[in-house]
Amino acid sequence: MNDTIAAISTSLGVGAISIVRVSGEQSIKIVNKIFEGTDLSKVQSHTIHYGKIKDKDEVIDEVLVSVMLSPKTYTTEDIVEINCHGGISTTNKVLELLLTNGARLAEKGEFTKRSFLNGRIDLTQSEAVMDLIQSKTNNERKLAINNIEGRLSKLIKEFRENITDLISHIEVNIDYPEYYDIEIMTTEKIREIVKKQIKELKYLIKESENKEIIKTGIKTIIVGRPNVGKSSILNNLLEYDKAIVTDVEGTTRDIVEGNIYIEGIPLNIIDTAGIRQTEDIVERIGVEKSLSLIEDADLILVVLNSNEKLTKTDREILEKTKDKTSIVIINKNDLEAKIEIEELKDRNIITTNTTSLKGTNSLKEKIKEMFNLDKIETKDYTYLTNARQLSLARLSLKSLEESLKRIEENYPLDIIELDLKSAFDNLGKIIGIDYSDEIIDNLFKNFCVGK
């Protein structure tokens, strides 16, 4: 944390500009060594200066240099950003000069890591920075920017403050029972407050789980025996020919993936190998992979032929998916119907055909209905956004529920207080008040260098 770091903060390639970022106590001194122009040590904060980057007498590039002085910067350290002409050679040469003159190459996410460690942002805001960079939809962007602004942090802090008040009153009653003028924290009062906290935390967790698809999308697999139209359905959903379509059974031997957006929510679609008994070793591996994907899918599209009776394989697939979130697609409805539709009465069913792009419109509408995608738009984007945050929130909820149980069983206040402190601590871990180096290193290793 005492050294000065540097990295390229824009993608390498041909472009109008590229940015090399430097952060640390020696930022201005190091850049001054290679910058010909205004003395950067004498300029005001948050100003931009024209000049040249030079390697001894050789001009490397004409640049604009932004100077931002501590503490009002991204890392809270002195930051200098060199705006170069875009290009791999030029940008790398500027970075090389900085490293030669005393800077160290930044690790992945080290600028944001310093921002967190220096107290400018908390852990949820740090995670939101990466979410914003990786956002592909407007909903993902809104969710990320909401958390960067600290709204989730504020909500978690309010939870902690309420629990702190509860713990404080309990401790006063335990430590100073002789003072009758101090408010007595009776069991009934504790119960009311804990119940309220449980209700609010449950709501946050439930809403976060429901809105998780904003970020992760809906993992969707298409299953069925060969030649029922799985690949055609994939191609029609994507509106281009991603999968090979033939009349030959076993054409799809491995998974084929594609992505579409419905109401701004990603649908991550996997077309699987046709499920059947086969002696072909490659096709058999594909079939086994198809069956294994069923367990992890958010949505399963089971494709059947309208113009054929249900086969043994059809029934096995239907049985394997009966307790999953699924849609049964009766395909080829433009042909004479022979399928035993009465056997499917308890399933979500749509009929379609893939002779035109409009053939899958009913499928899209069914997905919208099942996942309430047309209602997912909301003005409030204050949600827990990843598995780490959700698991800690669930642990906090469990501790609160345990404290309520102990209250009902008339346990002593000091025992109840232990559960409340556990809830308090786990909420603190969500925003990074308490953290381990391992968690921090693991979080920031997923960032790009330069951010």
Side-chain angles (χ1 to χ4, degrees):
M1 288 290 290
N2 293 324
D3 52 0
T4 297
I5 57 174
I8 299 167
S9 290
T10 47
S11 298
L12 275 176
V14 178
I17 62 167
S18 59
I19 298 173
V20 183
R21 177 182 287 172
V22 191
S23 179
E25 290 182 4
Q26 302 298 313
S27 297
I28 294 172
K29 182 179 178 181
I30 290 170
V31 176
N32 254 342
K33 292 179 182 180
I34 63 172
F35 180 66
E36 184 181 86
T38 306
D39 183 351
L40 300 177
S41 65
K42 298 179 180 178
V43 303
Q44 292 184 339
S45 182
H46 294 77
T47 54
I48 300 175
H49 308 274
Y50 167 78
K52 298 175 181 177
I53 298 295
K54 298 185 69 174
D55 181 9
K56 297 178 182 176
D57 294 328
E58 179 188 359
V59 175
I60 304 302
D61 194 16
E62 287 184 295
V63 298
L64 291 174
V65 175
S66 303
V67 176
M68 293 161 279
L69 302 179
S70 173
K72 293 184 178 181
T73 69
Y74 185 65
T75 61
T76 76
E77 304 169 336
D78 288 347
I79 287 182
V80 180
E81 290 185 349
I82 303 172
N83 295 261
C84 318
H85 287 92
I88 296 173
S89 176
T90 301
T91 309
N92 278 332
K93 184 62 178 178
V94 172
L95 177 62
E96 176 191 326
L97 289 173
L98 292 168
L99 301 180
T100 302
N101 283 277
R104 170 177 65 77
L105 182 63
E107 299 173 357
K108 287 185 175 181
E110 191 167 2
F111 292 95
T112 305
K113 185 177 181 179
R114 289 191 175 200
S115 183
F116 165 70
L117 293 175
N118 289 334
R120 181 184 173 274
I121 58 177
D122 66 26
L123 213 50
T124 60
Q125 290 171 300
S126 300
E127 290 170 315
V129 170
M130 179 51 68
D131 290 341
L132 183 62
I133 292 170
Q134 295 178 339
S135 62
K136 299 182 182 70
T137 68
N138 196 41
N139 281 328
E140 286 181 77
R141 177 191 62 77
K142 287 180 179 179
L143 184 60
I145 202 69
N146 184 81
N147 284 349
I148 286 176
E149 291 176 349
R151 294 182 189 176
L152 176 60
S153 305
K154 182 181 178 183
L155 183 61
I156 297 300
K157 287 174 183 175
E158 287 175 358
F159 273 114
R160 280 170 55 88
E161 286 171 5
N162 290 332
I163 296 174
T164 300
D165 289 343
L166 194 58
I167 292 171
S168 299
H169 280 93
I170 289 174
E171 289 185 347
V172 168
N173 280 269
I174 291 172
D175 295 340
Y176 303 101
E178 66 274 19
Y179 290 99
Y180 294 104
D181 58 335
I182 298 174
E183 179 186 358
I184 298 174
M185 181 58 68
T186 63
T187 302
E188 185 57 39
K189 288 180 180 177
I190 298 171
R191 183 186 291 110
E192 288 175 9
I193 297 171
V194 171
K195 277 185 176 180
K196 184 173 184 292
Q197 292 300 293
I198 288 173
K199 181 181 178 181
E200 291 178 356
L201 190 53
K202 273 185 176 179
Y203 177 80
L204 175 63
I205 292 171
K206 184 176 181 296
E207 287 297 298
S208 298
E209 290 170 341
N210 290 342
K211 298 301 186 294
E212 192 174 5
I213 62 172
I214 290 176
K215 184 178 174 184
T216 61
I218 303 169
K219 185 178 180 181
T220 306
I221 68 165
I222 307 174
V223 296
R225 57 187 171 85
N227 278 5
V228 291
K230 299 186 303 299
S231 296
S232 295
I233 287 171
L234 173 67
N235 289 343
N236 275 20
L237 286 170
L238 299 179
E239 299 187 10
Y240 72 94
D241 292 340
K242 174 86 176 197
I244 298 171
V245 178
T246 74
D247 293 329
V248 179
E249 289 192 352
T251 299
T252 303
R253 296 184 169 209
D254 200 355
I255 62 173
V256 181
E257 300 182 58
N259 297 281
I260 65 169
Y261 293 88
I262 301 178
E263 298 290 335
I265 303 300
L267 200 68
N268 310 311
I269 312 168
I270 300 174
D271 176 26
T272 63
I275 296 172
R276 66 168 179 166
Q277 295 294 324
T278 177
E279 298 301 319
D280 187 306
I281 187 169
V282 176
E283 187 182 353
R284 189 165 67 246
I285 292 171
V287 171
E288 290 171 356
K289 187 181 291 186
S290 300
L291 293 171
S292 69
L293 288 170
I294 289 174
E295 297 304 317
D296 296 326
D298 300 316
L299 173 64
I300 303 164
L301 305 180
V302 181
V303 186
L304 305 172
N305 264 351
S306 175
N307 65 323
E308 294 180 281
K309 291 183 178 295
L310 291 171
T311 67
K312 179 183 177 182
T313 301
D314 289 333
R315 289 188 168 91
E316 288 173 350
I317 296 170
L318 288 166
E319 177 65 24
K320 191 171 182 64
T321 59
K322 69 177 182 178
D323 297 323
K324 306 290 183 181
T325 302
S326 61
I327 299 173
V328 174
I329 302 172
I330 301 177
N331 195 27
K332 305 179 184 178
N333 63 1
D334 53 327
L335 302 176
E336 181 185 356
K338 296 181 180 179
I339 192 169
E340 300 92 336
I341 193 74
E342 66 277 359
E343 292 187 31
L344 307 171
K345 60 183 178 181
D346 296 326
R347 305 292 291 260
N348 292 306
I349 301 172
I350 63 110
T351 62
T352 187
N353 68 77
T354 54
T355 56
S356 71
L357 290 178
K358 293 181 179 180
T360 51
N361 284 349
S362 58
L363 174 57
K364 292 178 182 178
E365 290 301 317
K366 190 66 176 179
I367 294 170
K368 282 169 60 176
E369 174 192 324
M370 288 177 64
F371 288 87
N372 292 315
L373 298 186
D374 55 342
K375 298 176 183 177
I376 207 164
E377 184 71 28
T378 177
K379 293 180 180 179
D380 183 7
Y381 281 82
T382 308
Y383 302 116
L384 304 160
T385 60
N386 57 47
R388 184 193 71 84
Q389 295 173 10
L390 274 166
S391 65
L392 288 168
R394 291 188 187 108
L395 286 173
S396 299
L397 177 61
K398 184 178 179 181
S399 294
L400 287 173
E401 289 175 333
E402 190 64 28
S403 71
L404 183 60
K405 179 183 176 183
R406 295 189 194 281
I407 290 168
E408 302 292 352
E409 295 173 356
N410 294 316
Y411 272 69
L413 287 179
D414 53 348
I415 301 298
I416 296 168
E417 183 183 15
L418 293 175
D419 292 316
L420 296 175
K421 285 182 175 178
S422 176
F424 179 82
D425 291 341
N426 282 314
L427 288 169
K429 289 176 183 177
I430 293 176
I431 54 180
I433 290 175
D434 182 24
Y435 62 88
S436 69
D437 292 340
E438 182 181 358
I439 288 174
I440 298 304
D441 291 341
N442 186 61
L443 190 155
F444 288 105
K445 76 178 183 181
N446 296 316
F447 278 62
C448 54
V449 174
K451 191 63 179 178

